[in-house]
Amino acid sequence: MISPKFFIDTLGSYGIDFFAGVPDSLLKNICAYIADNKDAKHNVIAANEGAAVGLAAGYHLATGKIGVVYMQNSGEGNIINPLASLTDKEVYNIPVLLLIGWRGRPGVHDEPQHVKQGKVTTGILNTMGVNYDVLCKEEDKAAKQIAKAVKTMKETGEVYALVIEKDTFEDYKLQSVEKNDLTMSREEAIQTVAAALGPKDVIVSTTGMISRELFEYRAQKGEGHERDFLTVGSMGHASQIALGIAMEKDDRKVWCFDGDGATIMHMGSMAIVASKSPTNYVHVVLNNGAHDSVGGQPTVGLKIDIPAVARAVGYKDALTADSKESLADALGKLRSIEGPVLLEVKVKKGNRKDLGRPTTTPIENKNALMEFLRK
């Protein structure tokens, strides 16, 4: 395996020291090392992967140097537009080094939402005309691949990608952890809100720990999962799935269980929710200021006023809770508030070590929800 220090030092030897992106579980060791060893000006955790490409492009325009964009392969969709219409050699010809975590690589077992993406990861790069290497796990060979990437980018001005498999980097634990004084766990918050729902209410939960914790809550209670749509992939789009349901099923209350990272990733969607004025829509943002399911790297979630954003774009009201007591109070108020309404629940980082994953398939989950909505 490769030492994160060796990898970053090798890039540094070529003058490459600017990083932007969205953290990934396969890259958590390298992302942690970058976070601990680069200042805030040289490591930007972006709202989404396409925005990170924009940051790297701006950095290049200002310095003439090459920026690095890190991401999970699920983020390839978000970078296609800037790759095709910004960095491409037929447009502005801007070099960027992509570090792409290869979830769902063919032949390696992974969760359902990663299987298709794993199959098309390198095909997308080929289609976009991006040169790439699968990073070798031996340092001497990896160093040669980096040298080749840098040489190619400097000669052509084009984007280059290093595709990174599981267990490529040695363990490195994030030292610069941003702590908060919040006491309520995300799981407690999810259980409290889910318990307050009416029998016909529906939940659309975002990708990552939130859907996993909701699934386990139902299992612990001996309940079915037909009222919950577990959005295991497509990060940042749960609010729009919920809106699509809410507009067609106006006799039911629809709850979107969102995360701060997912909300920020496509924050413009909040304006669309507000513009459609679904009176049956409740947007619950579970905010711990972290990308919890991929290594705990920080978001700006706890540094911004998410309820103020909701009000500014047109939500009828926005509430905040940061304890079991204030959450219970907020849920009581929600009964008499017309939607769309946002409820921010501030929670501490982390999750149970024995937290499982959904045991039903995505298609089983979809079919059960659709049957429930027909009743």
Side-chain angles (χ1 to χ4, degrees):
M1 286 194 285
I2 301 171
S3 154
K5 182 180 188 304
F6 172 85
F7 184 79
I8 297 304
D9 285 352
T10 302
L11 290 177
S13 70
Y14 296 103
I16 297 174
D17 64 355
F18 175 85
F19 300 84
V22 177
D24 166 43
S25 54
L26 296 193
L27 302 179
K28 68 179 180 181
N29 297 316
I30 200 70
C31 288
Y33 187 85
I34 293 167
D36 283 345
N37 291 277
K38 299 294 176 185
D39 61 27
K41 192 175 174 181
H42 291 84
N43 178 39
V44 183
I45 296 177
N48 58 62
E49 298 83 358
V53 173
L55 278 160
Y59 171 78
H60 176 78
L61 293 174
T63 65
K65 297 166 68 176
I66 296 168
V68 179
V69 170
Y70 51 82
M71 70 184 78
Q72 186 179 109
N73 54 350
S74 59
E76 282 185 312
N78 281 337
I79 66 170
I80 285 176
N81 182 299
L83 285 187
S85 60
L86 173 64
T87 61
D88 191 79
K89 64 183 177 182
E90 294 183 66
V91 191
Y92 291 106
N93 198 200
I94 294 174
V96 178
L97 179 62
L98 306 176
L99 305 183
I100 303 174
W102 199 353
R103 294 296 302 267
R105 177 170 186 173
V108 178
H109 176 73
D110 212 328
E111 299 304 309
Q113 67 270 26
H114 297 298
V115 174
K116 179 68 173 185
Q117 189 71 50
K119 290 177 181 176
V120 302
T121 292
T122 57
I124 288 172
L125 295 175
N126 287 328
T127 298
M128 299 305 295
V130 174
N131 289 311
Y132 69 91
D133 271 324
V134 177
L135 189 64
C136 184
K137 297 179 183 181
E138 297 171 32
E139 289 186 347
D140 57 338
K141 293 180 180 176
K144 291 177 181 176
Q145 290 177 311
I146 293 170
K148 175 186 169 188
V150 173
K151 183 174 185 288
T152 302
M153 286 187 290
K154 287 186 173 177
E155 287 178 352
T156 66
E158 294 180 41
V159 172
Y160 200 100
L162 294 174
V163 180
I164 297 166
E165 301 174 282
K166 187 178 180 180
D167 299 327
T168 293
F169 293 109
E170 293 175 358
D171 284 345
Y172 178 88
K173 192 167 180 61
L174 183 68
Q175 305 298 310
S176 55
V177 178
E178 293 186 7
K179 293 184 170 64
N180 62 53
D181 297 323
L182 298 163
T183 57
M184 183 169 43
S185 73
R186 182 183 51 245
E187 191 162 21
E188 289 172 323
I190 287 170
Q191 292 172 356
T192 301
V193 178
L197 267 61
K200 290 186 68 177
D201 291 6
V202 173
I203 299 173
V204 176
S205 58
T206 190
T207 185
M209 298 298 183
I210 292 173
S211 282
R212 291 169 63 180
E213 289 171 346
L214 176 60
F215 186 91
E216 291 226 337
Y217 168 72
R218 297 294 192 200
Q220 289 163 10
K221 296 282 286 183
E223 298 175 353
H225 305 282
E226 68 279 357
R227 288 180 287 172
D228 311 325
F229 185 81
L230 309 175
T231 315
V232 293
S234 63
M235 181 175 169
H237 296 301
S239 71
Q240 300 304 282
I241 299 170
L243 177 60
I245 296 171
M247 289 193 300
E248 292 298 326
K249 297 291 180 179
D250 55 11
D251 60 326
R252 296 174 183 264
K253 187 166 281 190
V254 180
W255 301 67
C256 175
F257 282 15
D258 226 342
D260 50 299
T263 300
I264 291 164
M265 179 170 275
H266 295 295
M267 192 179 275
S269 291
M270 291 173 64
I272 306 307
V273 171
S275 75
K276 295 303 174 186
S277 301
T279 59
N280 56 332
Y281 190 102
V282 184
H283 195 169
V284 181
V285 179
L286 296 143
N287 184 3
N288 65 357
H291 285 289
D292 225 1
S293 64
V294 291
Q297 298 87 352
T299 72
V300 295
L302 292 172
K303 298 174 182 175
I304 62 175
D305 192 339
I306 292 174
V309 173
R311 292 189 202 98
V313 298
Y315 279 56
K316 296 292 175 59
D317 208 344
L319 310 175
T320 298
D322 60 6
S323 66
K324 288 183 182 178
E325 295 75 23
S326 60
L327 178 56
D329 183 53
L331 288 169
K333 290 178 181 176
L334 280 177
R335 294 191 182 97
S336 60
I337 298 175
E338 191 175 83
V341 60
L342 181 134
L343 171 59
E344 177 193 40
V345 188
K346 294 181 178 179
V347 295
K348 63 184 180 181
K349 289 173 61 176
N351 56 275
R352 281 189 291 115
K353 299 303 178 195
D354 61 346
L355 181 64
R357 294 181 181 273
T359 53
T360 56
T361 68
I363 290 174
E364 287 171 340
N365 175 221
K366 177 199 73 172
N367 290 340
L369 176 86
M370 291 180 73
E371 180 63 29
F372 178 69
L373 289 174
R374 281 195 287 267
K375 293 177 181 176

